[in-house]
Short mmCIF file of all heavy atoms in Angstrom, two decimals:
data_model
loop_
_atom_site.label_atom_id
_atom_site.label_comp_id
_atom_site.label_asym_id
_atom_site.label_seq_id
_atom_site.Cartn_x
_atom_site.Cartn_y
_atom_site.Cartn_z
N SER A 147 89.83 13.46 120.59
CA SER A 147 90.33 14.59 121.38
C SER A 147 89.65 14.62 122.74
O SER A 147 88.42 14.56 122.83
CB SER A 147 90.05 15.91 120.66
OG SER A 147 90.33 17.01 121.50
N HIS A 148 90.44 14.75 123.78
CA HIS A 148 89.90 14.86 125.13
C HIS A 148 89.18 16.19 125.33
O HIS A 148 88.49 16.37 126.35
CB HIS A 148 91.02 14.72 126.17
CG HIS A 148 91.61 13.34 126.22
ND1 HIS A 148 90.84 12.22 126.45
CD2 HIS A 148 92.88 12.90 126.06
CE1 HIS A 148 91.60 11.15 126.45
NE2 HIS A 148 92.85 11.53 126.19
N LYS A 149 89.30 17.11 124.38
CA LYS A 149 88.63 18.40 124.46
C LYS A 149 87.18 18.34 123.96
O LYS A 149 86.48 19.35 123.99
CB LYS A 149 89.41 19.46 123.67
CG LYS A 149 90.80 19.74 124.22
CD LYS A 149 91.48 20.84 123.43
CE LYS A 149 92.85 21.16 124.00
NZ LYS A 149 93.51 22.26 123.26
N SER A 150 86.74 17.18 123.50
CA SER A 150 85.38 17.05 122.98
C SER A 150 84.36 17.34 124.08
O SER A 150 84.58 17.03 125.25
CB SER A 150 85.18 15.64 122.42
OG SER A 150 86.07 15.40 121.35
N PHE A 151 83.22 17.92 123.69
CA PHE A 151 82.25 18.37 124.67
C PHE A 151 80.83 18.31 124.11
O PHE A 151 80.62 18.27 122.90
CB PHE A 151 82.57 19.81 125.10
CG PHE A 151 82.39 20.82 123.99
CD1 PHE A 151 81.29 21.65 123.97
CD2 PHE A 151 83.32 20.92 122.95
CE1 PHE A 151 81.11 22.58 122.95
CE2 PHE A 151 83.15 21.83 121.93
CZ PHE A 151 82.05 22.67 121.93
N ARG A 152 79.82 18.28 125.01
CA ARG A 152 78.43 18.31 124.60
C ARG A 152 78.06 19.70 124.10
O ARG A 152 78.48 20.70 124.67
CB ARG A 152 77.52 17.93 125.77
CG ARG A 152 77.61 16.47 126.18
CD ARG A 152 76.62 16.18 127.31
NE ARG A 152 76.56 14.75 127.59
CZ ARG A 152 77.36 14.13 128.44
NH1 ARG A 152 78.30 14.82 129.09
NH2 ARG A 152 77.22 12.85 128.66
N CYS A 153 77.23 19.75 123.06
CA CYS A 153 76.90 21.04 122.44
C CYS A 153 75.59 20.90 121.69
O CYS A 153 75.50 20.11 120.74
CB CYS A 153 78.04 21.44 121.49
SG CYS A 153 77.86 23.04 120.69
N ASN A 154 74.55 21.65 122.10
CA ASN A 154 73.27 21.52 121.40
C ASN A 154 73.31 22.28 120.07
O ASN A 154 74.27 22.99 119.77
CB ASN A 154 72.11 21.99 122.28
CG ASN A 154 72.18 23.47 122.65
OD1 ASN A 154 72.54 24.31 121.84
ND2 ASN A 154 71.83 23.78 123.90
N SER A 155 72.25 22.15 119.28
CA SER A 155 72.25 22.71 117.92
C SER A 155 72.37 24.24 117.92
O SER A 155 73.04 24.81 117.05
CB SER A 155 70.98 22.29 117.18
OG SER A 155 71.00 20.91 116.90
N GLN A 156 71.74 24.92 118.88
CA GLN A 156 71.84 26.38 118.97
C GLN A 156 73.27 26.81 119.29
O GLN A 156 73.81 27.74 118.68
CB GLN A 156 70.88 26.90 120.04
CG GLN A 156 70.90 28.41 120.24
CD GLN A 156 70.28 29.18 119.09
OE1 GLN A 156 69.60 28.60 118.24
NE2 GLN A 156 70.51 30.48 119.06
N GLN A 157 73.88 26.10 120.23
CA GLN A 157 75.27 26.41 120.58
C GLN A 157 76.20 26.12 119.41
O GLN A 157 77.15 26.86 119.16
CB GLN A 157 75.69 25.60 121.79
CG GLN A 157 74.99 25.99 123.09
CD GLN A 157 75.30 25.00 124.20
OE1 GLN A 157 75.36 23.78 123.99
NE2 GLN A 157 75.51 25.53 125.41
N ARG A 158 75.90 25.05 118.68
CA ARG A 158 76.79 24.63 117.59
C ARG A 158 76.77 25.63 116.44
O ARG A 158 77.83 25.93 115.87
CB ARG A 158 76.40 23.22 117.12
CG ARG A 158 77.26 22.68 115.99
CD ARG A 158 77.15 21.17 115.88
NE ARG A 158 75.85 20.67 116.19
CZ ARG A 158 74.83 20.61 115.33
NH1 ARG A 158 74.99 21.04 114.10
NH2 ARG A 158 73.66 20.12 115.70
N ILE A 159 75.60 26.16 116.09
CA ILE A 159 75.58 27.14 115.00
C ILE A 159 76.25 28.44 115.45
O ILE A 159 76.91 29.13 114.65
CB ILE A 159 74.15 27.41 114.47
CG1 ILE A 159 74.23 28.16 113.13
CG2 ILE A 159 73.30 28.16 115.48
CD1 ILE A 159 72.92 28.25 112.38
N THR A 160 76.16 28.76 116.74
CA THR A 160 76.88 29.91 117.28
C THR A 160 78.38 29.71 117.14
O THR A 160 79.12 30.61 116.70
CB THR A 160 76.53 30.13 118.76
OG1 THR A 160 75.12 30.30 118.89
CG2 THR A 160 77.24 31.35 119.32
N LEU A 161 78.84 28.51 117.48
CA LEU A 161 80.25 28.17 117.36
C LEU A 161 80.69 28.23 115.90
O LEU A 161 81.79 28.72 115.58
CB LEU A 161 80.49 26.77 117.93
CG LEU A 161 81.91 26.20 117.88
CD1 LEU A 161 82.90 27.11 118.59
CD2 LEU A 161 81.94 24.79 118.48
N HIS A 162 79.83 27.77 115.00
CA HIS A 162 80.15 27.77 113.58
C HIS A 162 80.27 29.20 113.04
O HIS A 162 81.21 29.52 112.29
CB HIS A 162 79.08 27.01 112.80
CG HIS A 162 79.43 26.78 111.37
ND1 HIS A 162 78.87 27.52 110.34
CD2 HIS A 162 80.28 25.91 110.78
CE1 HIS A 162 79.37 27.11 109.18
NE2 HIS A 162 80.22 26.14 109.42
N ILE A 163 79.34 30.07 113.44
CA ILE A 163 79.41 31.47 113.01
C ILE A 163 80.68 32.12 113.53
O ILE A 163 81.38 32.86 112.81
CB ILE A 163 78.17 32.24 113.48
CG1 ILE A 163 76.92 31.73 112.75
CG2 ILE A 163 78.33 33.75 113.25
CD1 ILE A 163 75.61 32.23 113.33
#
Side-chain angles (χ1 to χ4, degrees):
S147 170
H148 292 304
K149 296 183 178 182
S150 298
F151 66 104
R152 290 183 172 88
C153 183
N154 63 40
S155 291
Q156 179 72 13
Q157 292 171 320
R158 181 160 35 83
I159 194 169
T160 302
L161 179 58
H162 189 257
I163 292 169

